[in-house]
Amino acid sequence: MKEYKYKINGNTYNVAIGDIDNGIAQVEVNGVPYKVELENKAASVKSVVPKPSAAPRTATGEKVIAQRPASSGAGTPVKAPLPGVVMSVAVNVGDTVKASDTVIVLEAMKMENSIHAGRDGVVASIDVKAGDSVLEGTTLITIG
């Protein structure tokens, strides 16, 4: 039995719905059993799966999420571990970073993710800015 609690005009009703057989439902309201006749038998429900929509585009027709090519500068790229939106860039070109330093904050699935440098070095290039949408594997910065 499925049990529900309803409040109607300030009165609370505990409703338990049992088996439904040939259009007759076994229902219990506040401990009192009832046989409820259904007007129409439940029609089969057809599941409709929506088609995925096209990727969003700007007014000029460019894709909003664009995979940027890897930076041409020498060094080790720090790549996005998952798709998301760049919330902030915590470093500037020329800054010295340690492996555990947060260099980018990336929002993905409504959570902020701190992206660490991953190695000691100097920031050679920054390939994104706050507000950019990035795909997994996009180069965020390059450490020389």
Side-chain angles (χ1 to χ4, degrees), residues 101-116:
D101 289 349
T102 297
V103 293
I104 301 272
V105 176
L106 185 69
E107 180 185 28
M109 296 180 283
K110 298 187 181 187
M111 293 189 63
E112 291 185 4
N113 300 280
S114 297
I115 309 300
H116 301 285

Side-chain angles (χ1 to χ4, degrees), residues 78 90-91 96-104 114-121 143:
V78 175
V91 294
T96 301
V97 294
K98 298 282 185 196
S100 61
D101 289 349
T102 297
V103 293
I104 301 272
S114 297
I115 309 300
H116 301 285
R119 62 168 268 187
D120 295 350
I143 299 176

Side-chain angles (χ1 to χ4, degrees), residues 64-85:
V64 172
I65 300 176
Q67 176 115 15
R68 295 178 184 222
S71 175
S72 60
T76 303
V78 175
K79 296 185 177 203
L82 65 170
V85 177

Side-chain angles (χ1 to χ4, degrees), residues 26-43:
Q26 303 297 326
V27 178
E28 191 174 291
V29 180
N30 290 342
V32 179
Y34 293 94
K35 288 186 179 183
V36 178
E37 185 176 341
L38 303 175
E39 261 186 45
N40 295 321
K41 290 186 179 181

